[in-house]
Amino acid sequence: MKRIILTNKVASTLLFLGSVLFSSLAAAAGGGYPLDSANIDPTDTASLQRGAKYYQNYCAGCHATQYQRYERVADDLGIPHDLMMENLVFDKRAKIGDLMFNSMDPKEAKTWFGATPPDLTLVSRVKGGPDWIYTYLRTFYEDPSRPYGVNNKVFPDVGMPHVLLELQGIQIDTCGDSDPNARDPLTGEKLCGLTVDPERKGSMAPAEYDQMAYDLSNFLAYSAEPMQQQRKSLGIYVFLFLAVFLVFAYLLKREFWKDVH
Ligand code: HEC
C-alpha cells in the first residue's frame, strides 16, 4: 500500500514537472499567440537572395550572424562575390571570407535597447522555427506604454524597435482584451486582430510586406542549416548507390550459397 502511495506521489510530481516544462516551452514559443505558417521553401533561391538583401539592409546593423561567412552565403545563393561585397556588405573593412560579425558594442546595445541583440545564425532552430520569425516580424503593434511605442504579439515587451515600421506602417490591435482567435460563427472571419492604421500606412502593401517577412524567415532558416539542400541531394545519390549495391550483394550471396543448397 505504502509503495502504491509512493509511486503515485512520484508520478504526480513527474506530471507536475512535465506540465511546468511544457507550458514554459509553449510560452517561449509564442506566448500563446497563434503562429501563422510561413511555408518556407529552401529551394526558392530568388526568395533567399531577397531575404539576404533585406537582412543585410535592415537587420545586420544590430544582429550578427557570426557562425556564417559572406562567401558561403554568396556561393550558396548564387550571388557573385563582387556584387555581394558592393551591395550587401556595408562594413567596408570586411573581406568576402569573413564571418558575418557586426560592429555594435554589446554593452552599449544593452543600454539602448535593454537587451543585447542576439546572434541570429541559429535563431530559426531555437525559437519556434521559421513560423515564429514570420509571425514575429508581422505582429508589431502600437503600444504607447513601451519605450519605442510598439509591442509584439509573440515576444511581449520585446526590446527590439519595429525596424520595418516605414515599410509596414503602424498596426493597431483591434482586439483589446478579447480573444484574438474569435471568429464569426457564420462567416468564419476573424472578429478582430492587427490591422495597419489607414492614416499611417507604410511604403509596402500588406501582401508585399508578408512576402518580405517570408523572404527573411526563409533566409534565416537557410542560415541555421546551410547544408540542408546539399544533404538532400547527397541523400539521393546514397540511395542510388545502395540500389546498385543491392544487385551485387544479391549476386554474391547466390554465388556463395550455390554449393550449400
Ligand atoms: C536597432 C537594432 C535592431 C535591429 C535593426 C534589428 N533588431 Fe532584432 N533584436 C534587437 C534587440 C535589442 C533584440 C532583443 C530583444 C529582447 O531580448 O527584448 C532583438 C531580438 C530579435 C529576435 C529574437 C531573438 C531571440 O532569440 O530572442 C529576432 C528573431 C530578431 N531580433 C530578428 C530581427 C530581424 C529579422 C531584423 C531585421 C528585419 C532585426 N531583428 C533587426 C535589435 C534589433
Side-chain angles (χ1 to χ4, degrees), residues 36-138:
D36 292 321
S37 51
N39 287 325
I40 56 149
D41 175 5
T43 62
D44 185 350
T45 313
S47 153
L48 291 175
Q49 288 176 348
R50 287 193 303 268
K53 181 183 79 181
Y54 295 136
Y55 180 82
Q56 286 301 103
N57 278 286
Y58 293 103
C59 320
C62 291
H63 293 280
T65 31
Q66 57 167 307
Y67 304 106
Q68 177 71 287
R69 289 178 198 277
Y70 297 114
E71 188 171 21
R72 168 99 205 219
V73 173
D75 291 346
D76 284 350
L77 307 190
I79 305 172
H81 287 187
D82 51 340
L83 285 187
M84 179 86 185
M85 292 314 284
E86 269 165 42
N87 302 312
L88 294 183
V89 181
F90 302 112
D91 179 355
K92 289 304 160 206
R93 290 160 304 173
K95 301 211 171 57
I96 186 80
D98 282 353
L99 292 167
M100 297 168 71
F101 279 109
N102 70 347
S103 42
M104 187 172 281
D105 177 357
K107 275 208 207 94
E108 283 197 82
K110 189 152 183 15
T111 331
W112 295 330
F113 308 114
T116 310
D119 186 280
L120 293 185
T121 324
L122 295 168
V123 70
S124 108
R125 310 282 307 258
V126 289
K127 286 272 169 177
D131 291 352
W132 187 90
I133 299 171
Y134 180 66
T135 313
Y136 172 68
L137 294 174
R138 292 163 55 257

Side-chain angles (χ1 to χ4, degrees), residues 1-3 6 17 32 42 51 56 75 91 113 125 133 161 166-167 170 197 201 208-209 216 225 231-232 236 242 247:
M1 187 64 186
K2 217 173 172 188
R3 188 178 290 162
L6 209 69
L17 283 179
Q56 286 301 103
D75 291 346
D91 179 355
F113 308 114
R125 310 282 307 258
I133 299 171
E166 62 181 78
L167 305 176
I170 185 83
D197 180 355
K201 279 191 196 153
E208 258 179 292
Y209 183 81
L216 274 164
E225 206 185 351
R231 203 185 61 211
K232 281 185 187 157
I236 294 172
L242 286 176
V247 175

